[in-house]
Structures are given as C-alpha cells and as structure tokens.
Amino acid sequence: MKNKSLSNIFKGDKVIWMVFFFLCIISIIEVYSASSSLSYTGGNYWSPIIYHCSILVVGIALMVVVLNIKCRYFKLITPIVLGMSILMLIWVLVAGQSTNGASRWISFAGIQFQPSELGKGALVLAIAQILSAMQTEHGADRKAFKYIMWLSGGIILLILGENLSTAMLIGLTVVLMMFVGRVPFNQLGRLIGFIVLLGVFVLSMVMLVGDDKKAEDELSAKQNLTEQTVAAQQEESPGFIGKILHRADTWKARVKKFFSNEYVAPKDYDLDKDAQVAHANIAIASSDVVGKGPGNSNERDFLSQAFSDFIYAIIIEEGGIEGAI
C-alpha cells in the first residue's frame, strides 16, 4: 500500500526519478564540503547546507505538483505564458537592469528575475504541443517545422543579444525536440547547415567588430567603481543598437582567452584580476587525478563562489577524474 501511494505521488519514469535523487544527494555532499571551512570561520556551520536543502525540498514539491497537473491545463496556459515571455523579453531588451555588463534582469513587485528563464519553459511547452498535434504515421507534418522556426526564432533572437549561452542552449533543445518529434531529416539537415553558417558569420562579426582590450579594461575598472559611478553608468543609455552590439567586446575577449595558448608564469599571474580562474585551476591541477577525498579541498577557502559557480572545480579537486565524470 505504501509503495502504491508513493507511485501515485512520484509519477513518471522511475529511472529518471532515481537519477534525480542520486544527483540531489551528490549535490548536498558537495555543497556541504565546499562551504564547510567558510561556514566554520563565520561561525554559522549549517547555513549553506540548510539553504541548499530547502531549495531542493521546494523544487521536489513543485515537481510533484506539476506532474499531477493534467495536460489539458498546460495547453490552456501555454499561449498566456508565451505572450508574457515575449513581452518581458522585449521589456528587458529596452529597459533591463545591468549586472556584470549584461542587461538580463527586470524587477516586478520587488522581485528580480530573468525573463529568459520563463521564455525557455514557455517555448518547450509550445513546441511539444505543436509536435504532438501535428504527428502523422510517417512523422511530424512538414508544416510543423515552419511553425517551430517562427516561434523559436523570435524568442531566441530576443535572448541572443544579452545571453548568448542561454540562446545557444535553447537552440540545441529545439533541435533535439524536433529530432525526437520525428521532424523530417531533410528539414533538420538544412536547419543544422544554416546554424553552422550563421555561427561562422556571427563569430566573424564578433572578431571583426569586438574590442577585447576594451572588455578587459572595463572588467578591471568595475572592481574599483563606487555605487554612485555604477548608478551613473546605468543611467547612460547606449541606444537600441548599442544594447544589441555592446556584448561583442565581451564575446571576443572570451573567444580569444579560450583559444589562447600563451604561457603565463605563476609569478606573473594577476591574482587581483583573475583570482577565481587562478584558484579554480589550482584546484584542478592539485587533484592528482584521484582527488583529495571529500572534505579535503584547500581551494574552497580562496574561491568566493566555491559552493555555487565554481563548485565543479572543488568536485574535481576532491573527486579527481572520477568525480569530474
């Protein structure tokens, strides 16, 4: 009877649920390990792990609620959520709040959030319904491809200027959904070819237009800005075209840094400018393949985002190659 009641609560694929709970357990261990020293120093031992577990509990509760909502209600709400997403994405493009050089945030009723997150969910729901409604014996109707392209193209273009990585992930998700939804291979092939050509063109334009030196200077300057200076800079509007192209400098700097093979001696490394990257590299290099073991990280004391943005470096330091995999 107990197993039956659990099955009614945790509906869906049992293997996916097992993988999900396994990853939750791993995340709890790693977050506690990555934050333990800083928590001990601050005297608040349990704060990071309690916060993390609270987020997991809320997430699991929301997953159970969503799983028990009938599909017809999703069909009703999708057009509303999709319309809201498009309006918010236009809003953030025109009047978004800037964080680290990217205007991705808007505030509503005192809550700050990224509209791209809402747009991702709405787009996945809409594409799933298109593919479901237009299935035939031989796969998806050829017209489904056109509808998906118009819908996803508009949303991805609105996100692209401010959040390139999110736009790329959404694009990949759309292609995979069409593959699973049995969209004809010749249509998918042409789309992939177009994406490759577009990627080459965009990369060429970024390398041609972007100023990587300017991006590096701005990054260094931000560390010394006062609140008044930041507020004054945010009041300066670069205009609509400027909002679209202003990330080119950052993109070019990242591309050049990724492909750079220039050796920098430890004594010449600028720890004030690249402290996070430096300590993340130290964590990885000092793992000695097999890792130092859970709870034995040294670099967690030097990485300010050790239990969030840079937790992967801590996982490698403690778990080695096996932990990374």
Side-chain angles (χ1 to χ4, degrees):
M1 189 72 179
K2 186 178 180 181
N3 289 335
K4 200 169 183 181
S5 62
L6 284 175
S7 296
N8 291 332
I9 295 173
F10 298 104
K11 296 178 180 179
D13 193 307
K14 299 300 183 291
V15 175
I16 293 177
W17 273 112
M18 289 172 63
V19 171
F20 169 73
F21 281 120
F22 175 75
L23 291 174
C24 285
I25 293 169
I26 294 295
S27 74
I28 291 170
I29 294 170
E30 291 300 337
V31 167
Y32 179 70
S33 178
S35 61
S36 57
S37 290
L38 292 176
S39 303
Y40 180 82
T41 304
N44 195 352
Y45 308 103
W46 297 103
S47 178
I49 197 65
I50 289 173
Y51 175 77
H52 182 71
C53 290
S54 301
I55 294 296
L56 288 179
V57 169
V58 172
I60 292 169
L62 290 174
M63 288 172 68
V64 171
V65 170
V66 171
L67 275 171
N68 285 276
I69 297 175
K70 293 181 179 179
C71 287
R72 65 173 179 268
Y73 295 115
F74 285 108
K75 291 182 181 179
L76 291 173
I77 200 172
T78 296
I80 300 171
V81 177
L82 200 58
M84 289 175 57
S85 301
I86 293 171
L87 288 174
M88 288 182 180
L89 287 169
I90 294 172
W91 181 7
V92 79
L93 187 65
V94 174
Q97 295 180 2
S98 180
T99 302
N100 294 329
S103 303
R104 303 171 184 171
W105 301 82
I106 60 174
S107 292
F108 183 76
I111 301 172
Q112 192 180 47
F113 65 97
Q114 296 187 54
S116 60
E117 297 300 317
L118 184 63
K120 282 192 294 186
L123 184 59
V124 167
L125 282 173
I127 292 174
Q129 292 178 32
I130 291 171
L131 291 170
S132 175
M134 302 188 72
Q135 283 296 315
T136 67
E137 293 181 1
H138 306 289
D141 190 294
R142 296 185 70 86
K143 291 181 181 178
F145 179 81
K146 178 177 68 176
Y147 298 145
I148 292 171
M149 283 298 95
W150 278 108
L151 184 61
S152 58
I155 290 179
I156 290 172
L157 284 174
L158 287 172
I159 295 173
L160 183 66
E162 293 297 338
N163 202 336
L164 178 63
S165 57
T166 297
M168 292 171 66
L169 286 172
I170 294 174
L172 178 61
T173 301
V174 170
V175 172
L176 289 175
M177 288 184 72
M178 287 194 289
F179 176 76
V180 174
R182 302 194 302 167
V183 169
F185 285 120
N186 58 349
Q187 289 183 318
L188 277 178
R190 287 199 296 269
L191 173 63
I192 292 171
F194 174 76
I195 291 173
V196 171
L197 290 175
L198 181 64
V200 172
F201 173 75
V202 171
L203 181 61
S204 301
M205 291 301 297
V206 166
M207 299 306 289
L208 183 66
V209 175
D211 186 346
D212 54 309
K213 184 66 172 64
K214 179 183 174 184
E216 291 176 1
D217 292 343
E218 287 177 353
L219 183 62
S220 300
K222 279 176 187 175
Q223 297 175 357
N224 299 318
L225 286 177
T226 63
E227 292 183 3
Q228 290 82 2
T229 307
V230 172
Q233 285 191 350
Q234 289 178 346
E235 289 175 2
E236 295 176 4
S237 175
F240 183 76
I241 300 299
K243 279 181 174 289
I244 295 175
L245 297 179
H246 80 283
R247 295 287 289 168
D249 299 338
T250 302
W251 293 341
K252 181 176 180 179
R254 288 178 178 175
V255 169
K256 289 190 71 174
K257 190 170 185 177
F258 182 80
F259 287 103
S260 175
N261 293 319
E262 181 184 356
Y263 174 74
V264 179
K267 63 182 179 64
D268 298 326
Y269 205 91
D270 190 348
L271 283 176
D272 292 328
K273 183 178 178 182
D274 293 315
Q276 294 279 59
V277 175
H279 287 294
N281 287 334
I282 292 170
I284 295 168
S286 62
S287 66
D288 292 328
V289 180
V290 295
K292 298 176 179 177
N296 293 321
S297 168
N298 294 322
E299 295 308 311
R300 64 189 174 194
D301 296 331
F302 302 98
L303 283 166
S304 61
Q305 304 297 326
F307 52 88
S308 55
D309 289 357
F310 280 82
I311 194 168
Y312 192 46
I314 305 302
I315 292 172
I316 297 174
E317 184 183 12
E318 295 186 347
I321 297 298
E322 297 84 357
I325 294 170

